[in-house]
Amino acid sequence: MKRTVALCALLVGCSSSDPGSNGEIRVGLLLPYTGKDGAAGANYERGVIMAAEKVNAAGGLANKPLRILFSDTHSDVRRGLAGAQTLVDQGVVAIIGPENDELARRLFPVLDNNGVSLLTPSSTSVSTVRSTTSLWFRLAPSGKDLGAQLAKRMKANGAKVVALVRTADEYEAAFATGVSERLTASGVELKDSVVINGSAASFTEPITIVSQAEPDAIVLAADPSTGSRFVNEFAVVAKQAKRRWYLSPSLEQEAFVLNSFPEAVEGMTGVAAAVNQNDAQTDAFTAEFLDRWKGSTPTTGAFFYYDALALFAVAYEGAAARSKDGEIAPSVLHESILNSSGTSGFVINWDELQKGVTTARAGTPVDYSGLTGVIQLDPSGARSTVYQRFWTITGGEIVQLQK
């Protein structure tokens, strides 16, 4: 498993075998480093590490060093659950992640029984499920919401007849629901909805179904590996006039572009959660990321993962300031996370995280306004405002589109 080793020089200890957490505050990072979703893990991790560096530069949390523990989901629910349990056993107070909806849903009993918070930075579809202790927080728009926004774009682009192709993954299913409901409400004909299996040897049957529908637009919702295979086979088998393709957020990855025929993906349009509309802040973080990781460019997920740890840090420090005996009750931490999102307190930006931690430590309420815009969470823990953007593939590169 590939891991970022720079953290060992930054945080207390490198061994993950010590179950005790005295003397440090531990936060778990539950990500896919291997498997079908493994291409994204390392980039997201780097965003968290950058936030952790700033927190420790401010003295850590509650006067203790912050330590990040890592666990690989292997892009598998069963192994991801085992990894989460390992993090809990190691004394983490929160887990950031995961990228898989089913895994996130099945984590709730583990988290509830141990009073561990879950901050989900990705565009999940878990918004309809409530943890019994309300320790779950979603910082990105739901897959269904983003699907609806893509459907609006398709309607504006003149789509008349649409075919929808997706995997059985829970996120892609929710995304497809958002697309289909919005298209239907807009009077656009949804001709076919086809579910594909990433382990199938061939996609001949679903390609035939889509081709016979004669759509003028095709929506593809899949992981990068399955998506590139389907696109390539479609280009070979369905030798017909080119149609407009629309993509789910999962396909905004270099792996999808690199493994697809260039002429097949050229001009495809996708949707994703938006980062800060303040170009100066976005550019500043990108420059710092490039410098810190020697030329590696931050993906959208890195922005959200940085925000997740930053929000948790100021909230945890605020909760610690209110806890007289040093023990933070889950209900107090829950309230502090909700109160640290908004604009009612002392507002800090992403590059003021050190100041935010020390300010919260002194007992002053702090609101974190992050790289992904103002973070306002509703009482259920979900982000109350949808920020989306659109992107396309041009010359083998993913390019952002203007609104």
Side-chain angles (χ1 to χ4, degrees):
M1 181 191 310
K2 295 182 179 179
R3 295 277 177 81
T4 303
V5 297
L7 192 65
C8 291
L10 161 69
L11 305 180
V12 174
C14 295
S15 171
S16 61
S17 60
D18 177 13
S21 57
N22 291 335
E24 62 190 23
I25 304 298
R26 295 181 172 183
V27 172
L29 186 58
L30 187 62
L31 279 173
Y33 292 93
T34 55
K36 67 181 179 63
D37 301 318
N43 200 273
Y44 298 171
E45 171 191 297
R46 289 171 173 176
V48 171
I49 292 175
M50 288 176 63
E53 289 175 336
K54 296 182 188 298
V55 171
N56 279 327
L61 295 178
N63 296 311
K64 297 179 181 180
L66 168 64
R67 181 179 177 192
I68 308 298
L69 300 182
F70 307 90
S71 185
D72 185 5
T73 68
H74 302 276
S75 305
D76 177 81
V77 173
R78 180 183 60 82
R79 298 178 73 178
L81 282 170
Q85 185 62 61
T86 298
L87 292 174
V88 171
D89 292 343
Q90 292 172 334
V92 299
V93 295
I95 291 176
I96 298 176
E99 288 294 298
N100 180 282
D101 280 6
E102 182 183 353
L103 173 57
R105 194 181 302 281
R106 293 177 60 180
L107 279 177
F108 290 135
V110 176
L111 304 175
D112 292 347
N113 292 337
N114 295 276
V116 175
S117 299
L118 178 68
L119 286 85
T120 304
S122 58
S123 299
T124 71
S125 62
V126 190
S127 58
T128 57
V129 172
R130 301 289 176 257
S131 167
T132 57
T133 53
S134 299
L135 295 177
W136 165 75
F137 305 90
R138 178 170 55 76
L139 306 186
S142 71
K144 184 177 180 180
D145 287 340
L146 290 176
Q149 295 300 319
L150 184 65
K152 287 176 62 177
R153 181 90 176 197
M154 295 170 66
K155 171 70 173 180
N157 287 346
K160 302 295 184 184
V161 179
V162 177
L164 201 160
V165 181
R166 66 170 179 87
T167 62
D169 179 83
E170 190 172 336
Y171 176 81
E172 308 302 352
F175 177 83
T177 297
V179 172
S180 60
E181 288 183 355
R182 185 67 188 219
L183 288 177
T184 301
S186 302
V188 177
E189 182 181 2
L190 183 60
K191 192 77 171 183
D192 276 297
S193 183
V194 180
V195 180
I196 57 176
N197 185 346
S199 62
S202 172
F203 297 122
T204 301
E205 183 177 348
I207 288 174
T208 299
I209 294 172
V210 171
S211 297
Q212 290 177 346
E214 299 185 346
D216 54 43
I218 300 173
V219 176
L220 178 61
D223 59 90
S225 176
T226 303
S228 60
R229 285 184 55 225
F230 184 85
V231 166
N232 290 344
E233 190 171 339
F234 192 95
V236 172
V237 175
K239 298 177 180 179
Q240 301 171 16
K242 188 172 182 179
R243 300 172 176 83
R244 290 197 177 192
W245 287 72
Y246 294 88
L247 310 175
S248 70
S250 308
L251 295 172
E252 193 195 17
Q253 293 192 39
E254 188 178 59
F256 171 68
V257 179
L258 292 178
N259 291 311
S260 301
F261 297 154
E263 64 276 11
V265 297
E266 182 74 15
M268 289 185 175
T269 299
V271 67
V275 297
N276 202 325
Q277 297 301 300
N278 185 322
D279 291 338
Q281 288 199 40
T282 300
D283 291 346
F285 176 76
T286 300
E288 186 171 314
F289 193 100
L290 286 165
D291 181 64
R292 177 67 179 82
W293 303 111
K294 306 196 184 308
S296 176
T297 302
T299 62
T300 300
F303 288 77
F304 278 90
Y305 273 80
Y306 179 100
D307 275 358
L309 183 59
L311 174 64
F312 179 79
V314 296
Y316 189 91
E317 198 67 73
R322 296 169 51 193
S323 303
K324 298 179 181 179
D325 58 2
E327 292 293 326
I328 302 176
S331 60
V332 174
L333 181 57
H334 169 261
E335 182 181 359
S336 186
I337 292 175
L338 292 181
N339 290 340
S340 296
S341 64
T343 56
S344 59
F346 180 79
V347 180
I348 64 161
N349 295 317
W350 75 274
D351 54 352
E352 300 172 308
L353 182 53
Q354 290 176 237
K355 183 178 181 179
V357 168
T358 55
T359 301
R361 185 179 300 147
T364 300
V366 173
D367 286 333
Y368 178 69
S369 180
L371 288 163
T372 58
V374 175
I375 301 175
Q376 292 183 308
L377 303 178
D378 64 28
S380 73
R383 198 163 187 166
S384 55
T385 304
V386 177
Y387 299 98
Q388 82 287 329
R389 59 184 171 77
F390 298 97
W391 50 276
T392 188
I393 300 173
T394 301
E397 300 287 340
I398 294 173
V399 178
Q400 302 305 310
L401 290 172
Q402 298 298 319
K403 289 186 176 181

